[in-house]
Amino acid sequence: MKLPISRRLIACADLVPPCHTAADVGTDHGYLAIRLLQEGRCARVIASDLREQPLATARANAHRFGTADRMDFIQSDGLHNMKPGSFQVLILAGMGGDLMTRILADAPWLDDPAYTLILQPQSAANDLRRWLGEHRFGIEQERLIRDGGFLYGVMRVRPGQGRPLTPGEQYLSPALRRADDPLYADYLRRVRTALERTVAGISQSLDPADLARAPYFREALAELLALPDGKEE
């Protein structure tokens, strides 16, 4: 029986280092957790979700694919019901970067090099990267994946190894700029186009909040326009 897992979640699983326990927060159907156990990347997986219905679905799928005895199911808002040290790898996938930021900010105990974070934001990735840099979380690896017509970035992050990122780096991380990723040029083009539209819109706005943010977006766009279309050397 083949696991019906998306390419996006496979990319997340591929970045998980060998560990005893991983925590898949926002597990939904549980396919990512099941994949990790099937591949032997982890001995156990904590599958958590805010709502009971996704957890029930994840439990059913775990029994279906024979991994339920190696999984713990926890109903939790982020990491509120999890104990520090109960896992080594944290996975946040398929949610907005703003929600990821809140989950991480609510768990200051994650600021420990013993943890590895796998992050796959659906939106607001620049805001997530900014927060990570400001709190010294380093993006040690970032990959791109095309799934369902969309381009996603998947990051492997380590605490204590980061630095504040420039506006341009918040949109396209140094790790991704160094990577020999076949989707890099397409991703760079898309981010440039999105920033050009943002700058054009803000330039015509009379809203004081837009005017205050305008220098940030202009600086980010200028940085990305200065990059070569291929990977950085």
Side-chain angles (χ1 to χ4, degrees):
M1 190 185 334
K2 184 177 180 182
L3 186 69
I5 186 171
S6 68
R7 296 179 65 190
R8 173 178 60 84
L9 293 182
I10 290 173
C12 293
D14 287 346
L15 283 184
V16 173
C19 65
H20 183 273
T21 305
D24 179 22
V25 174
T27 192
D28 197 15
H29 38 52
Y31 293 149
L32 175 55
I34 294 167
R35 169 91 174 193
L36 294 175
L37 293 168
Q38 287 181 334
E39 292 188 332
R41 289 181 181 266
C42 312
R44 298 195 66 81
V45 176
I46 301 169
S48 85
D49 208 284
L50 178 62
R51 296 173 292 119
E52 175 55 36
Q53 183 55 51
L55 281 181
T57 301
R59 283 192 196 96
N61 286 329
H63 283 286
R64 180 183 173 202
F65 288 95
T67 61
D69 61 332
R70 291 173 285 159
M71 294 176 67
D72 300 304
F73 300 91
I74 298 177
Q75 188 171 359
S76 177
D77 181 2
L79 297 172
H80 288 175
N81 294 337
M82 295 193 198
K83 296 179 181 179
S86 60
F87 57 83
Q88 297 79 51
V89 177
L90 170 65
I91 307 160
L92 302 177
M95 60 186 77
D98 51 349
L99 176 55
M100 291 186 179
T101 298
R102 180 183 69 76
I103 291 172
L104 298 177
D106 286 347
W109 45 269
L110 285 173
D111 187 14
D112 183 323
Y115 293 108
T116 299
L117 282 55
I118 308 298
L119 307 177
Q120 186 275 299
Q122 298 285 85
S123 61
N126 62 305
D127 293 328
L128 174 62
R129 294 189 192 96
R130 177 170 62 245
W131 187 93
L132 291 171
E134 289 173 349
H135 293 81
R136 299 193 67 246
F137 285 82
I139 302 172
E140 65 178 21
Q141 192 171 356
E142 185 166 1
R143 295 178 182 174
L144 298 170
I145 187 72
R146 194 189 304 277
D147 193 357
F150 295 94
L151 272 179
Y152 301 100
V154 183
M155 315 172 205
R156 184 158 70 192
V157 175
R158 295 295 299 274
Q161 298 182 9
R163 60 167 176 81
L165 301 177
T166 67
E169 289 173 335
Q170 292 165 23
Y171 278 90
L172 207 156
S173 71
L176 185 54
R177 296 182 192 191
R178 293 191 299 267
D180 190 12
D181 197 301
L183 296 174
Y184 175 92
D186 190 7
Y187 187 76
L188 174 59
R189 182 168 56 253
R190 292 186 185 205
V191 175
R192 282 172 174 168
T193 299
L195 275 171
E196 286 170 344
R197 291 173 180 166
T198 299
V199 169
I202 282 182
S203 298
Q204 299 175 14
S205 175
L206 298 179
D207 187 332
D210 287 341
L211 296 176
R213 294 188 305 158
Y216 166 79
F217 293 114
R218 292 195 182 103
E219 184 177 345
L221 177 58
E223 285 186 49
L224 297 192
L225 288 173
L227 291 177
D229 289 337
K231 72 165 187 172
E232 276 196 344
E233 298 298 333

